[in-house]
Amino acid sequence: MDLEKIDDAISQRVQAMKNRLEGLRKSDLYYYNLPVQELKGGARVIVNGNEMGMYASYSYLGLVGHPRINAAAIAAIERFGSGTHGVRTLAGSLTIHKELEETIAEFKGTEAAITYSSGYATNLSVISSLVGRGDYVISDKLNHASIVDGCLMSGAKFLRFRHNDMEALEDRLKQVPNGAAKLVVSDAVFSMDGDIIDFPKTVELCRKYNAWLMIDEAHSLGVLGNTGRGIEEHFGMKDVIDIKMGTLSKTIPSVGGYIAGKFDLIDYLRHVSRAYIFSAALPPAQAAAANAAFKVILDEPWRIEKLTTNTKQFIGGLQERGFDTMLTETAIVPVLCGSDEVAFAMTGTAHQSGVFVLPVVSPAVPPGLARLRATVTAAHEPDEIDYAMNVIEEAGRQVDLI
Ligand SMILES: *Cc1c(COP(=O)(O)O)cnc(C)c1O
């Protein structure tokens, strides 16, 4: 199709994006989709031929490239090959899938667990398998796109509440007519801001109003709690989440998503959720890598301690240098820039000095709240973090941010 000749809504959308991207690329301000050429051990990578400190990674415990996890993946390929025989329900299930699901259930303290081929697919499929027309789904305004998409796809009445505002949540719960099914969904740690949900109050409200509670632990698994078990451990609460969702692509250096919960719930999902029934099983190497990673987390508890120390150093140091890091308490550290231009300019300076951070701009965050979204991991050393903070400080001075 000749895009120049037609002028319908589709071509206008494509053209508008083309113009925006061309503008950024011409000014050398396009930083997305940059391929990492090589891991250099620890938290260093080679990008565009330059060695850089990696401050945009979700590998919070520094497990990407861990020898024991790599070995498990290689052994699984040798035993089962590189793919499966199809979907889990038919010929795609392998013993390694069963082992992984048992490992997850044990780690999360539940009766059972189910895995999917991505966290995104998990949220989409699970939310829309649990609620539908006539039901209500209630979601924090800053929840991840995969939650929003799952809520929309479900066809349930979709109510959103002001970010982490428990009065607003209660108002929403009161709005639901008597007897209607209700599901409350929230991130545990918010992916753009790094702040933590008011979990005890959320649990209390769900109980008071008989709502099901689903929590997405993409950024809290391996990050929160003394043994990395997540949000419940962080608040000293036990098994108070009905639907414990997480991803195998962040702290766990693989790919996939999971739900942990009661056996009957998991069995229901296994026979209803379409991403499980109609999409191929996790590849053997990825299932084995994920399974090994949970064991490494338990066997190497120093990683969680080191992440906590590094997080304190990074947030504290950036604040001392005069930056606004918003409400973060975790390894996701927003450095508020304001305008998109400031965020792009600071990213450029950081990259030139060997610090790999990325800008997050509208529409991913509201206009005026553009930021560098830096992450710190257990693989960073204190002197590397100091260096990165000094570079970000210099970048901030150049644009008069601090
Ligand atoms: C990354 C992320 C997902 C999606 O997980 P993938 O496994 O990458 O598809 C879901 N929820 C949140 C909060 C995330 O940050």
Side-chain angles (χ1 to χ4, degrees), residues 65-315:
H66 192 291
R68 190 170 147 198
I69 299 171
N70 287 0
I74 292 163
I77 289 192
E78 282 168 354
R79 184 168 165 207
F80 293 110
S82 57
T84 65
H85 300 280
V87 300
R88 287 289 303 277
T89 316
L90 302 178
S93 282
L94 305 171
T95 46
I96 184 67
H97 293 125
K98 203 160 169 277
E99 280 168 43
L100 171 61
E101 287 168 351
E102 283 165 8
T103 299
I104 294 170
E106 196 179 316
F107 193 85
K108 295 302 298 172
T110 59
E111 291 174 5
I114 179 172
T115 52
Y116 295 84
S117 54
S118 82
Y120 182 85
T122 305
N123 277 336
L124 225 62
S125 200
V126 169
I127 296 170
S128 59
S129 299
L130 292 172
V131 289
R133 236 169 232 283
D135 304 328
Y136 285 73
V137 62
I138 304 176
S139 164
D140 186 289
K141 276 208 170 155
L142 292 192
N143 275 347
H144 191 260
S146 56
I147 296 178
V148 175
D149 292 358
C151 295
L152 291 171
M153 195 173 116
S154 74
K157 265 253 191 264
F158 182 26
L159 305 177
R160 305 204 303 160
F161 61 96
R162 225 171 73 119
H163 174 52
N164 221 353
D165 179 335
M166 293 297 117
E167 281 177 28
L169 170 57
E170 184 157 21
D171 285 344
R172 291 308 199 195
L173 285 161
K174 280 183 185 159
Q175 234 174 294
V176 178
N178 264 344
K182 40 196 175 296
L183 171 66
V184 171
V185 197
S186 181
D187 285 3
V189 167
F190 290 89
S191 58
M192 292 295 142
D193 293 48
D195 57 333
I196 302 172
I197 181 188
D198 183 345
F199 183 65
K201 189 72 191 174
T202 302
V203 170
E204 183 193 315
L205 287 173
C206 286
R207 289 196 170 156
K208 182 171 167 191
Y209 291 92
N210 284 323
W212 287 69
L213 177 59
M214 173 167 174
I215 298 286
D216 177 334
E217 297 228 57
H219 301 282
S220 55
L221 183 79
V223 174
L224 294 185
N226 287 335
T227 64
R229 283 185 164 80
I231 190 85
E232 290 172 310
E233 188 180 23
H234 179 75
F235 283 101
M237 299 167 81
K238 252 203 158 133
D239 215 11
V240 289
I241 302 169
D242 302 301
I243 303 140
K244 304 185 190 191
M245 183 272 170
T247 167
L248 304 175
S249 69
K250 290 179 173 131
T251 293
I252 304 294
S254 182
V255 71
Y258 70 81
I259 299 288
K262 290 260 192 302
F263 178 83
D264 291 344
L265 170 78
I266 301 305
D267 216 21
Y268 169 82
L269 292 174
R270 233 183 258 292
H271 297 93
V272 171
S273 55
R274 296 166 76 86
Y276 186 89
I277 302 169
F278 295 105
S279 187
L282 278 180
Q286 299 317 120
N291 190 43
F294 281 98
K295 304 196 165 163
V296 170
I297 294 176
L298 295 177
D299 289 346
E300 300 180 7
W302 61 267
R303 291 179 180 273
I304 295 159
E305 252 171 74
K306 191 163 168 213
L307 176 62
T308 307
T309 312
N310 286 354
T311 299
K312 282 196 185 121
Q313 182 192 351
F314 198 47
I315 297 174

